[in-house]
Amino acid sequence: MEKIALTETLSLSRLVYGMWRLGDDEDTSPSHVQAKIEGCLAQGITSVDLADIYGGYQVEEIFGAAVKQAPHLRGQLEIVTKCGIVAPVGRHANARVKHYDTSAAHIKKSVDDSLRLMGIEQIDLLLIHRPDPFLDHHQTGAALDGLIASGAIKAVGVSNFKLHDWTLLQSAMTNKLATNQIEISVMVNQAFTNGDIAYLQECGVAPMAWSPLAGGALFESGHPKLVSALEAKAAEAGVDIGAVAVAWLLAHPARIIPVLGTNNLERIGRISEALKVSIDRQSWFEIYEAANGREVQ
């Protein structure tokens, strides 16, 4: 599978396995999680996406148990995780209110916890999970640069940032921000016109896309024109409409990296089917217009 270079030392697989719901599975045993990882590796999907808050701050530990049981997996994976959201559950149960914390102390503690829970020595990519309206960009930037210098993380990026959030943090950092993980799908496609993707393209930065299937809404009734457009392309390629929706993102010149999550082993085995679908310019616009319910002007 193609790799997308984010920095000189870090590349991610063209598709990333998202572990947001890993803790929701009935079976969270190390062996079952290992089977999911191996199902991804068999397709060339080498990158996995986590966050400290996922599963009420439990998912990193669940993933780590699998890596500790099968340590050979670590060398085959690029591990992405996030920090910065403090919710009053799990290890932060004593927090009075859900809030963001991008202070140096919190980031460093979060990284230490993530390394310990996952049983690894380095995080490949750390993302600041949400823009922080209380951000001290000099403090946060210095902390992130320091973590790269120490070897605790290989690269740093952000998630859900707007252009002004990105430039503020970047202005206080020596290292370049590697990516912005934002919501992008056929149904949530404003990033193509609101400047989010345009700015990243200008910077030569490949965006990561969370919820590339619109949280499952794509498969619900109420979008007949879009479903029809996707089904036509799916029939040509011999795949399902989900694969076409992901291929639609892959076709864009911004080098979008979709993050796909499922606990079903059979579906995991089909993630790479999106690579079988070819989307040319007119096909892209057919799907785009069907999603928006109108032709472009």
Side-chain angles (χ1 to χ4, degrees):
M1 182 178 292
E2 179 190 3
K3 291 265 194 171
I4 299 293
L6 298 186
T7 70
E8 291 183 359
T9 60
L10 177 64
S11 296
L12 300 185
S13 53
R14 195 68 174 89
L15 299 168
V16 174
Y17 179 53
M19 295 190 165
W20 175 33
R21 298 191 182 278
L22 192 67
D24 297 341
D25 200 349
E26 292 181 2
D27 186 353
T28 59
S29 68
S31 296
H32 192 57
V33 174
Q34 180 181 343
K36 295 176 183 180
I37 296 169
E38 290 178 341
C40 290
L41 291 172
Q43 303 168 77
I45 300 169
T46 61
S47 305
V48 294
D49 179 83
L50 306 92
D52 60 354
I53 194 174
Y54 288 171
Y57 301 97
Q58 297 297 314
V59 162
E60 287 181 328
E61 187 171 9
I62 293 169
F63 168 75
V67 174
K68 291 170 187 175
Q69 176 176 279
H72 66 279
L73 295 175
R74 176 62 187 103
Q76 302 177 65
L77 297 172
E78 297 87 37
I79 298 174
V80 182
T81 195
K82 312 175 193 71
C83 71
I85 302 178
V86 180
V89 297
R91 75 185 73 156
H92 296 298
N94 292 329
R96 297 194 311 274
V97 62
K98 185 177 182 181
H99 62 283
Y100 304 136
D101 192 341
T102 54
S103 66
H106 181 81
I107 291 172
K108 290 174 182 177
K109 178 64 164 57
S110 295
V111 167
D112 287 343
D113 287 341
S114 294
L115 292 171
R116 173 178 54 82
L117 291 170
M118 291 190 285
I120 60 176
E121 296 182 354
Q122 185 182 56
I123 294 166
D124 293 298
L125 177 62
L126 178 73
L127 305 181
I128 299 300
H129 207 156
R130 294 276 178 182
D132 179 4
F134 201 67
L135 175 74
D136 180 333
H137 63 300
H138 293 294
Q139 181 184 149
T140 302
L144 295 170
D145 280 336
L147 287 166
I148 292 175
S150 73
I153 61 177
K154 185 178 288 186
V156 65
V158 295
S159 183
N160 303 297
F161 272 42
K162 305 302 289 185
L163 187 158
H164 49 272
D165 302 308
W166 174 286
T167 56
L168 176 62
L169 179 57
Q170 185 66 86
S171 72
M173 292 185 64
T174 300
N175 292 279
K176 295 288 188 182
L177 293 171
T179 190
N180 188 6
Q181 186 176 130
I182 56 180
E183 184 177 11
I184 322 172
S185 69
V186 289
M187 293 181 65
V188 183
N189 58 49
Q190 296 88 342
F192 292 108
T193 54
N194 68 7
D196 288 349
I197 289 176
Y199 179 71
L200 295 172
Q201 280 188 265
E202 179 185 342
C203 296
V205 174
M208 299 177 73
W210 63 265
S211 200
L213 298 178
L218 182 66
F219 304 100
E220 299 171 359
S221 59
H223 312 285
K225 290 185 178 180
L226 174 58
V227 170
S228 179
L230 294 172
E231 285 179 340
K233 202 67 183 174
E236 291 179 14
V239 298
D240 65 20
I241 63 171
V244 178
V246 173
W248 185 80
L249 296 177
L250 295 175
H252 195 275
R255 301 179 301 145
I256 297 167
I257 305 171
V259 180
L260 294 139
T262 174
N263 281 319
N264 183 287
L265 287 173
E266 182 182 350
R267 290 186 193 134
I268 289 172
R270 298 202 306 266
I271 288 175
S272 62
E273 288 189 349
L275 302 175
K276 299 177 181 178
V277 185
S278 177
I279 306 282
D280 62 20
R281 180 179 290 269
Q282 291 193 60
S283 296
W284 197 91
F285 274 96
E286 284 174 345
I287 294 169
Y288 181 64
E289 292 177 350
N292 293 336
R294 61 186 184 280
E295 67 178 17
V296 294
Q297 297 187 358

